[in-house]
Amino acid sequence: MWNPRTGRWRSICPMSVQRCEVGVAVLNDKLYAVGGKGISSCLDTVECYDPHTNKWTPCAPMSKRRCRVGVGVVNGCLYALGGYETYSASITSRLDCVERYDPKTDTWTMVAPMSVPRTSVGVCELGDRLMAVGGYDGRQCLTLVEAYDPHLNEWEPVAPLNAGRAGPCVVVKNLTNSM
């Protein structure tokens, strides 16, 4: 864990499951590790890190195993977007489905799918919408950008990227006062 006051890294409590290609997001001051690839397969497991206690706590598993999953937060819920479910040298099953996690009830619910199955999608909150940015569809890095409205449970396309991107880190800063 990085401490910006001291400018140093320190080790924290390890996760209970080794993961790579994991999706992460912060919700309610806790870090969530969502899916990823374990030793031999993609994972449906989720863990939550509390920096105040230095402990990881297991959460309810997703309904799908997901590696290279996009993860974001809107309206107090965590969302897992796309990813792939299985992987071998010849077969990759990319997902368009999206699941929503409610930390109050520790439950996952399927919501409307994205328009295109994809891995490595960038995710961020913009107002009361969840943005899905770019990703990889198995052939190319995508310029596709979609906005999810949790009240209507619908995705709508918005202006595309100028160039395709997979795995973008997407951060939105409130610029309303400077425009």
Side-chain angles (χ1 to χ4, degrees), residues 42 64-68 82-88 90-97 117-119 136-138:
C42 293
K64 296 280 188 183
R65 296 175 180 271
R66 297 173 187 266
C67 298
R68 295 186 187 169
Y84 63 85
E85 192 172 16
T86 58
Y87 180 81
S88 70
S90 60
I91 300 171
T92 301
S93 58
R94 285 175 186 76
L95 301 170
D96 62 358
C97 58
R118 50 187 153 158
T119 62
Y136 182 70
D137 69 0

Side-chain angles (χ1 to χ4, degrees), residues 26-131:
V26 174
L27 174 61
N28 300 331
D29 296 325
K30 295 178 181 176
L31 179 69
Y32 286 80
V34 178
K37 187 174 181 190
I39 293 171
S40 62
S41 65
C42 293
L43 302 171
D44 61 0
T45 57
V46 179
E47 297 182 67
C48 173
Y49 177 73
D50 185 337
H52 304 294
T53 62
N54 190 32
K55 292 190 175 158
W56 289 93
T57 304
C59 300
M62 296 177 289
S63 65
K64 296 280 188 183
R65 296 175 180 271
R66 297 173 187 266
C67 298
R68 295 186 187 169
V69 57
V71 179
V73 173
V74 70
N75 293 339
C77 290
L78 188 75
Y79 288 79
L81 287 68
Y84 63 85
E85 192 172 16
T86 58
Y87 180 81
S88 70
S90 60
I91 300 171
T92 301
S93 58
R94 285 175 186 76
L95 301 170
D96 62 358
C97 58
V98 178
E99 298 183 59
R100 177 182 58 226
Y101 177 74
D102 185 339
K104 294 174 188 157
T105 60
D106 189 35
T107 56
W108 288 92
T109 305
M110 283 291 194
V111 298
M114 297 179 293
S115 66
V116 174
R118 50 187 153 158
T119 62
S120 306
V121 59
V123 184
C124 72
E125 179 181 11
L126 182 58
D128 64 349
R129 305 240 171 148
L130 192 68
M131 306 299 289

